[in-house]
Amino acid sequence: MNAKANIKAAQIQTSGPFKFYGSGWVDKNQYLFSVTPGVDLADALDSASDLLSMCLDPIEQAGMGTPLVDNPAWLVHHALESAKAVIDSLKWAAQQQEGGEQ
């Protein structure tokens, strides 16, 4: 990666309207949590990585024949949903930055 790309990456922060964890009836279209804007790229990716790491053991156990149900299933679901929101936020911010420099 060249120096210009490093500077661009260092400037990327979470942003955008990334809400997750629907709450209430679906037709309400309301979410309880959202990604906090302004978190630096490296910190946000570290947190997303931590969330994804929590999913490894339950998924490995499911692959070995232990059913993925109840609390472990919800842990995986919520961790994946949270990590996806962080990554989508960073992708959106990078695309906005790229579009603003043309």
Side-chain angles (χ1 to χ4, degrees), residues 3-98:
K4 187 175 181 181
N6 284 335
I7 292 169
K8 287 181 186 179
Q11 295 170 346
I12 296 173
Q13 296 180 331
T14 54
S15 61
F18 291 93
K19 301 174 183 175
F20 60 98
Y21 191 72
S23 183
W25 294 102
V26 172
D27 60 344
K28 288 185 176 181
N29 194 30
Q30 63 186 12
Y31 296 88
L32 191 57
F33 302 116
S34 65
V35 175
T36 301
V39 178
D40 291 334
L41 173 72
D43 295 332
L45 288 175
D46 281 343
S47 294
S49 178
D50 291 344
L51 288 165
L52 294 172
S53 292
M54 288 190 297
C55 300
L56 293 175
D57 187 54
I59 290 174
E60 180 181 358
Q61 293 301 315
M64 300 301 284
T66 303
L68 184 57
V69 296
D70 301 325
N71 286 340
W74 284 110
L75 175 137
V76 169
H77 172 78
H78 293 306
L80 291 174
E81 187 177 29
S82 301
K84 182 183 183 318
V86 171
I87 293 167
D88 288 348
S89 173
L90 292 168
K91 178 182 174 189
W92 186 84
Q95 289 171 335
Q96 295 302 306
Q97 183 183 70
E98 185 176 271

